[in-house]
Amino acid sequence: MRIRTHGDEVTSTRATRSRDVDRHALFWHEPRSVLSTTHRIETVLIQRPDIRLSQVLAGLSYALDLTEGQREGHAVRSCLLGMRIALELQLTADQRSALFYALLMKDLGCSSNAARFSVLFGAADQRVKADLKTTDWPRAIEAFRFVARNVAPGQFWLKRTWQLLGVVSRGPAGARDVVLTRCERGADIARTLGFQDETVQAIRALDEHWDGAGQPYALRGDQIPLLARILGLAQTVEVYFSSYGVEAAYDMAMSRRSSWFDPDLVDALLAVRSDDEFWRALANEDGAAQLARVEPADKVLVADEDRLDRVAEAFALVIDAKSPWTFQHSRGVAATSVAIAEVMGYPREQIREIRRAALLHDIGKLGVSSLILDKPGTLTDDEFRIMRRHPIATREILNRTGCFKHLANVAASHHERLDGTGYDLGLGRGDLSMLTRVLCTSDVCDALRASRPYRAGMPTERVLEIMGREAGTGVDPSCFEALQIALGKDTLTHPQATEVPAVRLVSALEDDYHQAA
């Protein structure tokens, strides 16, 4: 049996066959296990002398841009803008270091309210969020227009009317709850990454306004941390600059001076207005390449192996927060992949690479609308085409990171099949490394065990029955054999396996989904 659903299980849809993949990017030793296998796992055990953490985070920030519906490089350009303002303000090296990472990672919490935006508006969350960035939403008339143009696009007028009333009826408290989810989640993940408290608090207060009309805590003036004030100005200027140009960005900043923004910060921004070289570089040059010039030289953080693990774990939290139905998926796939690899006898350092690839394999899904991810039914052909593109985004994002680049093809190939009918490249058994096969097996297993909008999670016996029929055509027999042994040890617990759909596990969404129904 081949299942064609939301793209997280076995699929029978054939993708265009391509061998445009570096099959020798990874080199692994033969497993020590007695399990029958004639294939080599492949990986690179790279010597990483001095990897800047900023290089890693800059590459991964493109995933956050996708989630926010922004042009690629938004976070990086916001960082360059914010650091230029810091230069004008003559901040200390410690302050600039804390600001630097806050600017790069300001949107860590952005995925956590994506499902709520989609449900509340009946629209693609990225589209709603992108429009919100250019709306002066504290003004009641602007807020109403924003809601009116974004609810249930393309639907019958009565549906749009009910959707609009549903959003408006929630009032300021509803808006606060949506922003609160994002800010608290972003701050928590920043703390997980080990950032200092100034960075964490800046991300938490990202959406506060100078006049107290911001969200979610209605902080006013100096109550808002200075670094948060810089974040708010820099990100908004970047959106207007990228969309409409320098003059429009300055017009916006001046019109919101003393309302959205600290007047002193706007004045500092005005000092940069005549720097044509800065604006030209911001528009035309590779932003990531410019970051090294603005990062405080004596405060550079190095990404050692433990920190890289922490980064992968943190971004797994970002990925899994995108949908209440997959709130443990990346970590579940990672745990399953590790268990399979241990049974197959791979050494610790190689299992570490497997785990990282698994934690990051779905990072491209941050660019898929929650309307599709959370749809309680079969996807249309157009929706499935959009879903099938998420491995492409995973590959492109990981290729930007340097230290995870060698895992890009493996992580992006988690929907490929031995018989060549998977996606996005339609690779067959001759193209799939054993690492990829481990990941594919783990992905199918975790997806079947978890609840989805269209069904409850399956018990282990049913999962093995389905996967057993796919062994040799869809999933690798050796990996499946190792999976059976791992599950038999009863160490791979999965709290979603026998529960009703996961929306009930995320209480903040229950009312939203009830309203949508």
Side-chain angles (χ1 to χ4, degrees):
M1 180 177 72
R2 295 178 185 174
I3 305 170
R4 179 183 186 273
T5 54
H6 283 43
D8 57 6
E9 299 174 13
V10 186
T11 174
S12 62
T13 302
R14 186 175 186 86
T16 303
R17 189 171 182 79
S18 168
R19 297 182 185 271
D20 183 22
V21 58
D22 183 4
R23 288 164 34 186
H24 303 291
L26 308 166
F27 302 95
W28 280 60
H29 301 297
E30 293 286 357
R32 298 188 303 272
S33 171
V34 296
L35 288 174
S36 58
T37 176
T38 59
H39 302 285
R40 294 177 64 86
I41 280 193
E42 306 169 346
T43 192
V44 166
L45 301 177
I46 337 178
Q47 296 298 322
R48 301 183 176 96
D50 289 305
I51 298 177
R52 289 190 178 207
L53 179 61
S54 59
Q55 295 173 331
V56 182
L57 298 181
L60 294 176
S61 73
Y62 283 75
L64 306 181
D65 299 339
L66 282 177
T67 316
E68 285 293 274
Q70 295 302 318
R71 291 172 172 80
E72 65 176 30
H74 161 71
V76 170
R77 288 189 297 273
S78 296
C79 184
L80 295 172
L81 270 164
M83 294 305 288
R84 182 56 191 272
I85 293 171
L87 182 64
E88 297 296 327
L89 295 173
Q90 299 182 345
L91 299 187
T92 67
D94 286 340
Q95 287 177 310
R96 286 185 289 116
S97 179
L99 174 65
F100 179 81
Y101 290 104
L103 287 160
L104 274 182
M105 295 287 98
K106 66 184 181 65
D107 292 321
L108 279 173
C110 62
S111 62
S112 61
N113 60 14
R116 300 201 74 190
F117 268 107
S118 283
V119 170
L120 287 170
F121 286 85
D125 46 290
Q126 293 97 332
R127 168 182 166 170
V128 178
K129 289 185 171 190
D131 191 24
L132 185 61
K133 280 286 198 297
T134 56
T135 299
D136 194 358
W137 49 265
R139 296 185 178 184
I141 187 63
E142 290 299 315
F144 181 81
R145 288 172 179 166
F146 163 76
V147 173
R149 65 176 174 263
N150 281 290
V151 293
Q155 299 295 315
F156 183 58
W157 70 268
L158 188 58
K159 163 70 173 172
R160 300 196 73 217
T161 299
W162 279 110
Q163 197 85 39
L164 184 148
L165 290 174
V167 176
V168 171
S169 67
R170 293 173 179 268
R176 178 186 177 276
D177 287 344
V178 173
V179 179
L180 179 66
T181 300
R182 169 203 164 107
C183 292
E184 289 298 329
R185 180 75 170 187
D188 287 345
I189 297 175
R191 190 177 290 108
T192 297
L193 281 166
F195 290 129
Q196 57 184 291
D197 191 60
E198 279 189 284
T199 298
V200 172
Q201 298 308 324
I203 292 172
R204 174 177 275 117
L206 172 67
D207 292 312
E208 301 293 343
H209 293 174
W210 182 253
D211 62 1
Q215 296 284 4
Y217 310 107
L219 300 179
R220 178 187 299 271
D222 291 336
Q223 293 176 330
I224 308 169
L226 173 61
L227 303 191
R229 285 177 256 157
I230 297 175
L231 260 63
L233 176 59
Q235 71 166 2
T236 312
V237 169
E238 193 288 321
V239 170
Y240 275 82
F241 167 73
S242 294
S243 301
Y244 310 114
V246 176
E247 292 306 316
Y250 272 100
D251 288 345
M252 177 279 303
M254 289 302 297
S255 69
R256 299 182 188 182
R257 184 179 185 274
S258 299
S259 56
W260 279 48
F261 307 127
D262 180 343
D264 290 339
L265 299 189
V266 176
D267 292 345
L269 180 68
L270 286 173
V272 188
R273 188 167 192 165
S274 59
D275 190 344
D276 294 337
E277 183 179 349
F278 170 78
W279 295 107
R280 187 163 46 250
L282 194 65
N284 301 318
E285 294 183 12
D286 179 10
Q290 300 179 58
L291 286 177
R293 298 200 294 267
V294 300
E295 182 177 9
D298 58 342
K299 300 292 180 180
V300 171
L301 297 181
V302 175
D304 59 16
E305 297 296 337
D306 289 340
R307 192 182 287 272
L308 289 178
D309 286 338
R310 202 182 307 166
V311 168
E313 291 161 2
F315 271 82
L317 294 174
V318 176
I319 297 162
D320 289 350
K322 173 74 175 178
S323 168
W325 310 96
T326 58
F327 78 105
Q328 291 182 330
H329 178 63
S330 299
R331 289 162 289 170
V333 173
T336 305
S337 296
V338 167
I340 291 174
E342 287 177 343
V343 170
M344 296 179 78
Y346 289 106
R348 181 178 57 82
E349 64 273 12
Q350 296 175 349
I351 291 175
R352 191 175 209 170
E353 297 281 11
I354 288 177
R355 182 171 181 269
R356 290 172 180 170
L359 287 169
L360 297 171
H361 78 280
D362 261 345
I363 197 168
K365 271 191 179 176
L366 290 173
V368 179
S369 167
S370 291
L371 281 183
I372 295 175
L373 294 176
D374 299 340
K375 183 178 180 180
T378 304
L379 299 182
T380 66
D381 288 342
D382 285 343
E383 290 168 339
F384 194 60
R385 274 193 289 271
I386 293 171
M387 178 65 80
R388 282 165 54 117
R389 291 203 293 266
H390 81 266
I392 300 173
T394 290
R395 186 179 295 108
E396 291 176 348
I397 291 166
L398 295 184
N399 272 327
R400 293 179 181 273
T401 62
C403 62
F404 295 134
K405 184 175 183 179
H406 66 292
L407 297 174
N409 285 328
V410 173
S413 298
H414 58 278
H415 288 302
E416 303 290 354
R417 292 169 51 94
L418 294 181
D419 60 9
T421 61
Y423 65 90
D424 67 294
L425 297 177
L427 304 175
R429 65 182 69 244
D431 300 302
L432 299 175
S433 70
M434 189 58 75
L435 172 53
T436 304
R437 299 177 189 211
V438 170
L439 184 53
C440 290
T441 304
S442 303
D443 186 59
V444 173
C445 176
D446 189 83
L448 291 174
R449 297 179 82 194
S451 296
R452 288 294 183 264
Y454 42 86
R455 60 156 175 80
M458 299 181 187
T460 300
E461 296 76 15
R462 176 62 173 154
V463 171
L464 292 177
E465 177 189 344
I466 292 173
M467 294 185 68
R469 294 199 291 268
E470 291 288 325
T473 55
V475 299
D476 181 85
S478 298
C479 295
F480 179 63
E481 184 180 351
L483 173 65
Q484 290 176 293
I485 296 173
L487 289 174
K489 294 179 179 178
D490 203 28
T491 56
L492 284 174
T493 58
H494 202 302
Q496 287 180 297
T498 57
E499 292 174 354
V500 293
V503 64
R504 299 191 184 180
L505 304 176
V506 184
S507 57
L509 289 167
E510 190 166 2
D511 290 342
D512 294 342
Y513 276 89
H514 177 72
Q515 173 190 316

